[in-house]
Structures are given as structure tokens and as C-alpha cells.
Amino acid sequence: MDTIKRMFLPLSVGGFLLALLMLLILPVYSLGATAYGITSNITSVSGFQILFELNFFSGLLLVIGPILGMVFTVMLRQRSSLKGLVALLMAIVSIILLFVAKGPLTGSVMSAMGMDMGALGVSANFSMTFGGILALFVLAFVGFSGVVTAFDLKGSRKVAYTPKPKERTHIICPKCGWDMEVDKAFCTNCGQKLK
């Protein structure tokens, strides 16, 4: 946990950058079509394809979270707890936008197919593929590191057990070996001075 707190800035900025690259380069969604109850996957699309070929708004929704996460995390040079909270919030927003981006994308594909296809019972759907899933895991780690930093969580440390010294309640007479309470000034058996 302490390593995460010490390395928070490179971990969070690197995590947001890695998620952004995964969303742009790797296939994020798989386009499928359903007709008369039969579903088939047509193709997989990356963030670049979504941004520049399919639906700019959906592509923007994909990349805006990680970009703002990097910018806000770098800009906040104050307390690390504030940076951690911002990274956590931006990771959550990025994850939500990853799911929200499918809506406009599906709508634009359906409108491109035309109303004729919808009337025939054909519908398009997008499911998340490995690029989106990997980005989810990276964003979840960035969020976790934000929690550790924001709420000052400490890792478990093993502490050596040192028993508390016991108070003596009895004393033994050095002359006769008689056992008696500590508060006695003289031995109750032989009279030897104890203190």
C-alpha cells in the first residue's frame, strides 16, 4: 500500500494513458446483428474506428475520461489525498462512459442500416471485447490506487509481540524462602527485613 502511495502519480497517469491506448488501438466493441433470433458477430471496432468512421460522439465518450483523468491528476500538485480522490472519480467516470458510449454507437449503426432492416426484425448490438475489458481492469486499478491515496490506507504490518511486564504481586524471603505479598517490609515467617 505504501508503494502505491509513493508511486501514485506515475501509476495513475500511466494507468490512464494505458487505458486510453487500449481503447484507441485494441478492439473495444464487437458489432453483432440479430435477425429472427439468430445472432452473429460481424466485426470488432477500435476506438479510432469509432471516433473517425462510425460515430464521433461515441468515440469522444470513450476517450474523454482517461484524457481528463491524466490532465487533472497532473495538474493537482497539492495534497495527495485530493489527487487520489480526483483519480478515483475520473476512473469511475471513464468506466461509466465506456458503457454509455455503446448507446449512440448502436443508434448510428441502426440508422445507417435504415428502417427497412428494423422492420424486418434485424437489430444491431455491440458487446465489449478484450480491449474494453482490459481498459476496465486498468481503470479499476487506477481507482483503487486513488482510494489508497485519498483515504490514506495503510498496508498490514507485522508487529513483534512484546509482552507487557507483569507487576510482581509476591516476594520470597531471601533468608527462609517464605512466599508473601510485595507490600510487606518484614518477612512474616522469620522477621527478616525485606526492603
Side-chain angles (χ1 to χ4, degrees), residues 15-81:
F16 280 125
L17 181 63
L18 183 62
L20 178 65
L21 291 175
M22 287 178 182
L23 291 173
L24 286 174
I25 297 170
L26 297 177
V28 178
Y29 299 119
S30 175
L31 171 62
T34 303
Y36 306 109
I38 300 170
T39 302
S40 64
N41 287 333
I42 299 171
T43 186
S44 295
V45 290
S46 68
F48 275 124
Q49 290 171 314
I50 295 169
L51 197 58
F52 298 114
E53 294 174 12
L54 296 175
N55 186 319
F56 182 76
F57 181 68
S58 291
L60 192 62
L61 288 176
L62 279 177
V63 299
I64 195 72
I67 290 172
L68 289 178
M70 282 188 295
V71 169
F72 289 151
T73 305
V74 170
M75 281 179 36
L76 293 172
R77 295 272 179 192
Q78 294 124 351
R79 299 184 325 237
S80 63
S81 61

Side-chain angles (χ1 to χ4, degrees), residues 6-179:
R6 269 195 326 273
M7 299 293 294
F8 172 71
L9 189 62
L11 281 176
S12 61
V13 172
F16 280 125
L17 181 63
L18 183 62
L20 178 65
L21 291 175
M22 287 178 182
L23 291 173
L24 286 174
I25 297 170
L26 297 177
V28 178
Y29 299 119
S30 175
L31 171 62
T34 303
Y36 306 109
I38 300 170
T39 302
S40 64
N41 287 333
I42 299 171
T43 186
S44 295
V45 290
S46 68
F48 275 124
Q49 290 171 314
I50 295 169
L51 197 58
F52 298 114
E53 294 174 12
L54 296 175
N55 186 319
F56 182 76
F57 181 68
S58 291
L60 192 62
L61 288 176
L62 279 177
V63 299
I64 195 72
I67 290 172
L68 289 178
M70 282 188 295
V71 169
F72 289 151
T73 305
V74 170
M75 281 179 36
L76 293 172
R77 295 272 179 192
Q78 294 124 351
R79 299 184 325 237
S80 63
S81 61
L82 183 61
K83 281 194 282 190
L85 193 58
V86 167
L88 170 65
L89 291 175
M90 289 312 300
I92 291 171
V93 166
S94 298
I95 290 171
I96 291 170
L97 289 177
L98 184 58
F99 288 102
V100 170
K102 288 188 334 183
L105 188 59
T106 303
S108 67
V109 169
M110 284 299 288
S111 67
M113 286 177 19
M115 296 308 268
D116 310 69
M117 297 301 226
L120 294 174
V122 177
S123 65
N125 56 11
F126 284 92
S127 57
M128 198 173 300
T129 58
F130 65 93
I133 294 169
L134 288 175
L136 276 175
F137 282 116
V138 170
L139 291 169
F141 176 75
V142 170
F144 172 74
S145 66
V147 168
V148 168
T149 304
F151 300 109
D152 199 25
L153 299 179
K154 306 240 188 293
S156 62
R157 297 179 188 261
K158 294 183 178 178
V159 178
Y161 174 71
T162 48
K164 185 179 175 182
K166 295 182 180 179
E167 286 188 30
R168 291 179 45 188
T169 57
H170 290 271
I171 190 168
I172 297 175
C173 175
K175 184 177 179 185
C176 69
W178 188 257
D179 188 11

